[in-house]
Amino acid sequence: MSRYFTRLKKRRVYSWIGGPSFIDRKLKHMFYEGLCIKTDGNTNTGCIRPGHYILIEGDEDRSYVAKLLKLYDDGTGTRSSKHAEVQWFVRFHEVPQNKRKRLGRDPHPNEVFLYEIPNCDSDIDAETIITTVQVQHLEENSPFPAAQSQENSLYVKLSWDGKSFSPVNLDLLLQSGGKPVLPASSHTDSLPKPDLDVSRGLAVDSPSRPTRSARQQHSSTSKYSQSKELSDRQPSNVISTPTARKKLQLSNSVKPPGSKLTRDDVLAELLDEDRAVSSLEAEVTRRRALASKPSSSPSKKPRDLCISLSPIRGGQITQDHQLANGTQIGPRLQPEELVKRTLKRESRAESTEGETPSKRKDSIKIDAPLDILIEDGGEVGGPVVAVTPRSRRKSAQVSSARIQQQLNYLNRKQSTDFDVDDDEEDVFLPTKKDLKSSSEEESESVTGRRGSRSAVPRTPRSSRKAPSRTPAKTPNKTPRRTPSKTPVPRTPRTPRHATPSIPSRTQPTRKPGNVLEEARARLHVSSVPESLPCREQEFQDIFNFVESKVMDGTGGCMYISGVPGTGKTATVHEVIRCLHHAAEQDELPSFCFIEINGMKMTAPHQAYVQILQMLTGQKATAEHAAALLEKRFSTPAPKRETTVLLVDELDLLWTRKQNVMYNLFDWPTRRQAKLVVLAIANTMDLPERIMINRVASRLGLTRMSFQPYSYKQLQQIITSRLNRVRAFEDDALQLVSRKVAALSGDARRCLDICRRATEICEFSSQRSGSGLVAMSHVMEALDEMFSSPYITAIRCASVQEQIFLKAVIAEFRRLGLEEATFQQVFRQHLALCRVEGLSPVCMSEGLTTCLRLGACRLLLLESSHRDLHLRVRLNVSQDDVLYALKEG
Amino acid sequence: MLRERFCHQKIPGKPFGVESQHKIFNICSTHIRMEDDSNANVLVPSHDKAIPGDRSSSRPVVFILDEFDLFAHHKNQTLLYNLFDVSQSAQTPVAVIGLTCRLDVLELLEKRVKSRFSHRQIHLLSSFRFKQYLEIFKMQLSLPEDFTDRRFAEEWNQNIKSLCEDRSVEDVLQKHFCSSKDFRSLHMLLMLALSRVTVSHPAIKPTDLLEASRLCTMDSKANILHGLSVLELCLIIAMKHLSDIYDGEPFNFQMVHNEFQKFIQRKSHSVHNFEKPVVIKAFEHLHQLELIKPMEGPSVRTQKEYQLVKLLLDNSQIMDALQKYPQCPTDVKQWATSAFG
């Protein structure tokens, strides 16, 4: 990773070069040709022009790389009025850690990747620009130059779209690569005709409009905000005053000028020709309004709804220099999608017409559906939202349907994963597997098969732990997981560091042999079931909450409370699993999930260290980590994906000044943080009880409490876990669930009892027939777990111990108190010995007896150095003691 | 010669035998244990094999936490929480076994830790009767079949057998059984008896056991009293009176000294009137013997004479000691028995 370009600490002075080259009167934006940077104590000034590659102040002392597209001033006159429009590049270390493996090789220290993730904010404060930098495009297979000599140049080979690395479109890079291209240099292009109102043509031409729009919206990962901003501030060198002409730009259709005509282009061109010059003025204004609206919910809007408006300038608009520089690179399109988009494509083929450099074509791209929408619904924003198939506030049915769909997906997946790919097993596992069939299949790879089969319930967990697993999934990995790759239980997230590993077992795990063993395996708490019954509503609420935040790219907090064993953590994990799945299917922007647990840290401040390490892989002290995180969450980083942070056992993060909790809840409120915090604790009133006001206020009121399970729910949980394995009598199940529901409603306890009951059943059925767990077995298990051991313990005590207990009670009665000194009790003890006809014991013996009773906590004692005067109390009720002694 | 060698071998060999037998005992039988009451919390017992996934690859780990209750006193019980959490999750298979003598250990667990605990409890209580106790006694003392000197082993075992049938031995054991059922005290008794075995005295006799039992049940403080000087004894008696008068309230040296002076002046004929520093010295000696205990900690600096102390002896102990004290002056005895100074 390159750390060469650390941030300049010197103060820099920024000034525009020359006057505004173009003024957007509507937005009061003034576009400039260049920016002059003067560093203190340095006489030479650097000039930056659109097309240059630049370094931008970043977080963690690493600068960002980007290509400058436009420079403009928003006219507010404030210090941060200078803005720049950029195309981002990412360095390797900015790629989320769990996805770095996908590069498949070691990155060159000076390597950068074209950033193709949509909907990232490409508008930056121009005063964060540090300097220019060289970026060279290399062929994918060509070696990196021996670059040590040239520290200041970066290389780009691949592009990164948030999921995978792919070769950069050569055309684009040829346009954009190499030396900075000045806007007005060679690529002058123009539209053959003035832009037409696409809507008209399309409204007629495309009968399949609704489906198309739906599909486009489906892949709603548009660079909406970016393109919108682009449209807001058209930088141009155009001298002519803008006329009232609109320009709609489809941000993702990037065609380098001069490239060959594709079918798409031709089609698009045809469409263009159909456009009427005099477009609907009303629409223009409306669209302009839309475009200039603040980016309230950019990610939600489909890409194709992005409209860039700009004044019409005599048919030529200076847009294509951006395009020529390959800066507006939308998400890579799938081939079929390309075809679908043809209608909206705009041809750039004739862009090299004899136009003056300053006069550029005004590209208009209008999505047909949008126009329809605009025409139909008077208000622009409303219908757009309405059509979005996945509106944020989905109804419960919709998302539960999707959950169902995912389950189906997993089911489908199972058959392929099962034998083909061991690596895949980690991520997608069959949810249900007929045990019989699996056991009858080939015995060749017993362990492997079992791994896949038995791993079924683990699915959510494994996908959740994808980051830790990825390193193990190298292609050269042996099919069977080797023991050394098994992470140590409590350091699952640091696989890259050498961790001590647990040796492999010498024998393969035994398969559950009979129904009871199978049931026991299923009832183990660790085996996560296919679904979480009885928590549908909570699931839905959390799901909606996180999903909306992820989609909006905003932050938020949620507090989840509930007594232990009510499925809080499991539900959140399930939600994350579903969201991850959705993200994989492009229904959601990708996000990263971090989990910390107050119980798994030695001190509250370790939270910072853990979060930082999981976010960036860096190791730092708590203080340093806090500073780095603070910086990270407060500096704008448009490329950052949303972080979902699960804070389990929140109450343990309490400190006297509460600064850990304060920060955890303060970060999500920052605009740039994109942090969603889900805090889990046991008590409902935790915010009121232990948090000071400013912390509680930041936590907000998004709360959820998990009620203890009722007996019906517990019953349902067991039944769903058993999943057709018939091991329990119905009555027995009901008894367990009623008993547990009456006590605590703790599902873990319920499962434990059931497991114990199966053991008892198994043990007894070795002697006598029936294999089902019956009432008697459950009763026995309940007795074992809930009966107090005191009475048995008293009965098994020695005679002297029993007499001592009697003496204690006698002395209590005499004193009328619940406390006596050893001396007093011992006198009673001697008297009782005489009554019982036993030889009296000496003081030393009496004291040992007393201490022995104290050790097993039948008595509560002071520390024994008080000798005669140590005070004695009973830890059991007097009645219990008397009862136990009477029987014995 | 041969015999002597074996005997010497036997003496160190025997306790070892006892220990190892005891060890095996511990493992094999569940109902006999040195702790009279041991409460083992077993988590995920032997279920690792049935636990899916990753677990198949890594070897199951068993954690045994002895004195489990003390782990519960660690800050936040994080260790227990994490161990239990691992045992309940699909990570490396882990079994946690906690051993403790406390019956109320579950109440020590925090609720989130408790929720993760499997609630498997095995209580090892010594619920055997005296007959079994005798059997255990015999088994513990018997030599194994493969003992080097077969003849000696036979003789020894024969002797043990007869020992079990001896009336006095049974009485000793009965008394021991009454006071405590646990193995540790039995071993203590047997060790004391065994240590009397020498070359010239090659077998355990009932008297050895009686002597051992006497040693076991001896009152340590009464023994200390036997070794005190008359002056110290007088001080103890003065303190006893003070305790009686003030009903167990603490007193200081000055009070004791006053009481002692009264005794000297009024009744004593045989006891010298010691100088005050001598009395202080005697008082400090009692303190060193822990027969008296200061009320405040050592940090509190008060003048020695006025430091509040309490007597750690019961009246009965003092009286017993006086009876046995060799050549105790009669006036001292009388003073002790008189109700008030």
Side-chain angles (χ1 to χ4, degrees), chain A residues 454 489 503-504 520 526 599-600 649 651 746 748-749 759 790 798 800 823 827 842 852 856-857 867, chain B residues 37 47 52 59 76 78 81-82 85 88 91 102 104 112 115 119 178-180 217 220-221 311 314:
Chain A
S454 52
S504 65
R520 205 147 57 224
S526 71
M599 271 298 213
K600 299 185 178 175
E649 315 291 1
D651 49 327
D746 186 335
R748 286 197 194 99
R749 182 75 62 89
E759 278 175 12
Y790 290 115
S798 71
Q800 289 293 342
Q823 196 171 12
R827 282 177 192 153
C842 68
R852 228 169 14 231
C856 64
R857 288 300 190 275
D867 208 82
Chain B
D37 156 43
H47 279 271
R59 191 173 290 176
N76 289 337
T78 38
Y81 178 91
N82 286 310
D85 207 44
Q88 298 229 328
Q91 300 172 26
R102 287 186 64 164
D104 62 343
R112 57 186 150 214
S115 166
H119 284 82
C178 273
S179 80
S180 111
T217 56
S220 51
K221 274 183 197 154
L311 183 62
D314 196 50

Side-chain angles (χ1 to χ4, degrees), chain B residues 238-248 259 262 339-341:
Chain B
M239 287 186 237
K240 167 188 170 281
H241 284 312
L242 282 173
S243 296
D244 287 345
I245 293 164
Y246 299 107
D247 196 22
E259 199 74 17
K262 268 195 268 175
F340 291 104

Side-chain angles (χ1 to χ4, degrees), chain A residues 398-563:
Chain A
V398 172
S399 97
S400 52
R402 227 194 31 234
I403 297 158
Q404 190 54 48
Q405 178 197 331
Q406 280 161 10
L407 289 176
N408 292 341
Y409 170 79
L410 290 172
N411 281 338
R412 254 183 290 121
K413 190 94 174 150
Q414 105 187 32
S415 51
T416 50
D417 283 341
F418 191 55
D419 289 321
V420 178
D421 191 354
D422 273 2
D423 297 342
E424 282 282 307
E425 279 174 16
D426 287 336
V427 183
F428 294 115
L429 290 159
T431 47
K432 291 169 193 166
K433 188 76 195 166
D434 190 351
L435 291 164
K436 299 286 165 354
S437 72
S438 80
S439 57
E440 281 159 11
E441 278 176 45
E442 97 280 57
S443 60
E444 163 258 315
S445 62
V446 184
T447 48
R449 301 195 89 270
R450 187 173 307 109
S452 68
R453 201 216 81 244
S454 52
V456 170
R458 263 189 329 114
T459 318
R461 199 167 265 275
S462 57
S463 63
R464 189 189 319 138
K465 278 196 281 181
S468 69
R469 290 270 176 70
T470 22
K473 288 199 231 164
T474 46
N476 56 1
K477 188 170 90 70
T478 52
R480 301 282 162 268
R481 236 174 277 114
T482 52
S484 61
K485 284 181 182 145
T486 310
V488 174
R490 271 181 295 147
T491 54
R493 278 169 214 285
T494 55
R496 292 187 308 129
H497 313 291
T499 48
S501 61
I502 289 171
S504 65
R505 51 167 87 224
T506 46
Q507 291 176 330
T509 50
R510 205 159 48 86
K511 270 190 204 176
N514 56 31
V515 176
L516 287 174
E517 281 179 19
E518 168 67 19
R520 205 147 57 224
R522 281 168 180 273
L523 287 173
H524 194 272
V525 184
S526 71
S527 68
V528 178
E530 294 88 34
S531 64
L532 292 171
C534 312
R535 286 289 178 236
E536 288 85 5
Q537 186 53 47
E538 286 85 355
F539 175 88
Q540 196 59 53
D541 289 350
I542 301 173
F543 186 93
N544 287 350
F545 177 80
V546 180
E547 187 199 36
S548 66
K549 301 293 180 204
V550 170
M551 282 189 137
D552 292 354
T554 53
C557 294
M558 186 179 215
Y559 178 72
I560 302 167
S561 63
V563 294

Side-chain angles (χ1 to χ4, degrees), chain A residues 713-726:
Chain A
Q713 289 174 320
L714 287 172
Q715 215 171 334
Q716 198 183 334
I717 289 168
I718 304 173
T719 329
S720 79
R721 275 187 178 247
L722 285 175
N723 190 22
R724 283 178 316 203
V725 175
R726 176 125 180 94

Side-chain angles (χ1 to χ4, degrees), chain B residues 117-129:
Chain B
F117 169 58
S118 72
H119 284 82
R120 300 283 172 88
Q121 296 185 58
I122 300 170
H123 298 287
L124 305 177
L125 300 165
S126 36
S127 57
F128 46 80
R129 308 238 152 226

Side-chain angles (χ1 to χ4, degrees), chain A residues 249-265:
Chain A
Q249 177 206 357
L250 183 67
S251 60
N252 58 9
S253 71
V254 180
K255 283 287 163 181
S259 66
K260 281 180 76 178
L261 276 178
T262 63
R263 198 164 57 99
D264 305 356
D265 295 336

